[in-house]
Amino acid sequence: MKKIFYLGFFGLLLFEILNVYLIMPMPGSQQMNSIDVAYFLYQWRWAFRIVFAAMIIVGAYRFEWKSWWAPLLFLLLLVSVIYVVNFQMAADHMFYKPKQVLMVNEANNKVDSGRLVIGVINNGEAKAYPIRFLGYHHQVQDTVGGKPLLITYCTVCRTGRVYEPIVNGKPEQFRLVGMDHFNAMLEDATTKSWWRQATGEAITGKLKGQKLPEFFNIQTSLTKWLALNPNSLVMQEDPAFKNEYDTTGKFESGKSTSKLTGTDSLSWKDKSWVIGVKAGKEKKAYDWNELKEKRIINDTLDGKNIILVLAQDDKSFFAFENPDALNNFSLRNDTLVQNNHKYNIDGKGINSSANLKSLPAYQEFWHSWRTFNPETKK
């Protein structure tokens, strides 16, 4: 009976710890390819708990304890661990979805204009979601121009992504469940599959291999976004989480000293910033330090001539296809110039009705871009 009790006790203790260890940023956990194991343990969690609990009860009942308080100590330890890992260390108990998504116009905006935002435009409606809020919530579900969207952000990867929350043709709800390779994972409410934030792909569960439709978005300073989209609405803080939001701005500016969210000022280190650009079937990472120095980079990707440009605020960046293969662009005070053609920095024509074709571009940590885009160029 003693062996049965200890097997049940330590089995349940280890099981509860593993449930959190494998999907949270703990030493060594995010370097392992253990997501399927983590999902299996999670899916069968109640079966494991029942079996181990039964062993504990049977073993304790037949165990001849020398002291009456000994089983109470074991029980107290077990209950404490279970509480901590399930109610304090669980991702959706650390970071909550907003209770309300408050949107206001520029005149009523209270967000510092220097903060970074993820901007979205659909059917003539523009909305900006400050990273200050996204970084805590990890996900915000909203409607832009009549289209339901899932706006996501992972501070450990510095990845902002926007998806259509449509699974098998139906609208879906998601919750934050943990992370894999330092990237946030979301669980859909219907199939309980786990989806990677950086790619929108279901990486384990019934829908493994499926992807959420990605929706085009850009990252800029709020000042630049409102200058380009003066009628935009801006997300405001949810009063329920006022004390949870970052007030320092250190993460956004790259001054955070946190091991998980801090920035390396040198190039091509794990925590260095890169701009990942997608053009056709090819992807390429561009060094943020080089972009800050040059302001504009003319390049070729998947047979297409492209340009990557950084605004004067050193925060807002854009990528476009170059429609003229023979002539490069230059940048003059946030105006793109090519021969006699001029464009705003967001690609909209100034002296013509023609606009530049935008390309998906993302600012993120180098370790994230290379992990989730292993075929990337550099």
Side-chain angles (χ1 to χ4, degrees):
M1 288 299 110
K2 182 186 294 186
K3 290 183 178 179
I4 292 177
F5 172 81
Y6 282 124
L7 282 173
F9 174 81
F10 286 108
L12 184 55
L13 194 67
L14 179 61
F15 170 78
E16 295 292 350
I17 293 173
L18 278 176
N19 258 330
V20 170
Y21 174 79
L22 294 175
I23 58 173
M24 293 298 281
M26 297 183 180
S29 68
Q30 295 300 300
Q31 284 81 18
M32 299 186 296
N33 295 316
S34 56
I35 194 63
D36 289 327
V37 173
Y39 189 74
F40 172 79
L41 293 177
Y42 179 77
Q43 288 295 101
W44 290 92
R45 62 193 182 281
W46 287 111
F48 280 104
R49 286 167 176 166
I50 290 171
V51 170
F52 287 133
M55 294 173 66
I56 292 172
I57 293 171
V58 171
Y61 181 74
R62 301 272 183 106
F63 201 140
E64 294 183 2
W65 300 95
K66 295 181 180 180
S67 303
W68 64 269
W69 47 264
L72 293 180
L73 286 179
F74 279 104
L75 180 61
L76 180 61
L77 174 61
L78 189 58
V79 170
S80 298
V81 170
I82 291 174
Y83 175 78
V84 169
V85 300
N86 286 283
F87 296 98
Q88 290 189 327
M89 298 182 68
D92 60 347
H93 284 278
M94 297 173 67
F95 307 99
Y96 294 89
K97 296 199 299 186
K99 295 182 182 296
Q100 52 185 328
V101 180
L102 303 173
M103 307 296 296
V104 302
N105 58 21
E106 181 178 6
N108 295 299
N109 169 58
K110 295 181 180 180
V111 177
D112 183 346
S113 61
R115 303 302 288 258
L116 297 178
V117 299
I118 299 297
V120 180
I121 301 174
N122 185 52
N123 286 337
E125 183 176 44
K127 289 188 177 183
Y129 301 86
I131 287 177
R132 178 190 173 198
F133 307 142
L134 293 176
Y136 170 74
H137 295 298
H138 285 73
Q139 59 155 326
V140 171
Q141 291 200 232
D142 197 14
T143 300
V144 182
K147 182 183 287 293
L149 292 177
L150 178 68
I151 301 91
T152 71
Y153 200 89
C154 177
T155 56
V156 181
C157 285
R158 204 176 179 90
T159 46
R161 299 287 190 274
V162 177
Y163 301 104
E164 297 181 40
I166 304 297
V167 178
N168 291 334
K170 298 180 180 179
E172 188 58 88
Q173 293 291 318
F174 295 84
R175 75 177 184 94
L176 183 68
V177 72
M179 63 170 48
D180 176 61
H181 287 83
F182 295 106
N183 187 239
M185 288 189 303
L186 303 174
E187 178 186 81
D188 70 76
T190 303
T191 73
K192 308 299 182 181
S193 299
W194 289 355
W195 303 76
R196 178 172 286 146
Q197 181 270 342
T199 62
E201 180 180 4
I203 55 176
T204 190
K206 294 180 180 179
L207 302 182
K208 185 176 182 177
Q210 288 194 26
K211 284 191 173 184
L212 297 174
E214 187 171 358
F215 194 84
F216 183 80
N217 65 93
I218 58 176
Q219 177 182 309
T220 70
S221 67
L222 181 55
T223 297
K224 179 57 69 174
W225 176 260
L226 290 174
L228 298 171
N229 305 280
N231 295 321
S232 175
L233 297 177
V234 183
M235 179 183 174
Q236 305 296 291
E237 68 178 23
D238 185 333
F241 304 101
K242 181 178 181 178
N243 295 329
E244 305 297 335
Y245 298 132
D246 170 53
T247 59
T248 67
K250 289 184 177 180
F251 168 76
E252 296 173 40
S253 63
K255 296 179 181 178
S256 170
T257 57
S258 167
K259 184 176 181 181
L260 291 176
T261 62
T263 295
D264 195 320
S265 61
L266 300 177
S267 301
W268 305 115
K269 304 296 182 181
D270 282 353
K271 289 294 184 178
S272 300
W273 294 1
V274 300
I275 300 296
V277 178
K278 298 179 182 179
K281 297 181 179 179
E282 290 190 350
K283 303 174 184 178
K284 187 171 181 178
Y286 295 87
D287 175 32
W288 180 260
N289 291 330
E290 180 183 0
L291 181 59
K292 284 186 67 176
E293 179 183 349
K294 295 182 177 180
R295 317 300 301 183
I296 184 170
I297 296 175
N298 291 270
D299 200 6
T300 301
L301 194 59
D302 195 27
K304 298 179 176 63
N305 292 292
I306 70 167
I307 54 173
L308 177 62
V309 59
L310 179 66
Q312 288 182 313
D313 62 9
D314 282 343
K315 298 176 180 179
S316 310
F317 58 91
F318 307 83
F320 310 99
E321 284 189 18
N322 183 346
D324 185 348
L326 300 178
N327 294 283
N328 287 335
F329 275 84
S330 61
L331 183 65
R332 302 173 189 171
N333 299 321
D334 282 359
T335 297
L336 291 164
V337 180
Q338 185 187 61
N339 296 331
N340 296 322
H341 300 291
K342 294 182 179 181
Y343 304 84
N344 285 320
I345 200 163
D346 63 350
K348 295 180 181 178
I350 295 177
N351 57 354
S352 73
S353 59
N355 297 325
L356 297 177
K357 181 179 179 180
S358 298
L359 294 173
Y362 317 92
Q363 181 194 65
E364 57 190 271
F365 291 132
W366 172 230
H367 77 81
S368 171
W369 180 261
R370 72 167 186 259
T371 296
F372 304 121
N373 300 278
E375 74 283 10
T376 188
K377 293 183 176 181
K378 175 182 170 183

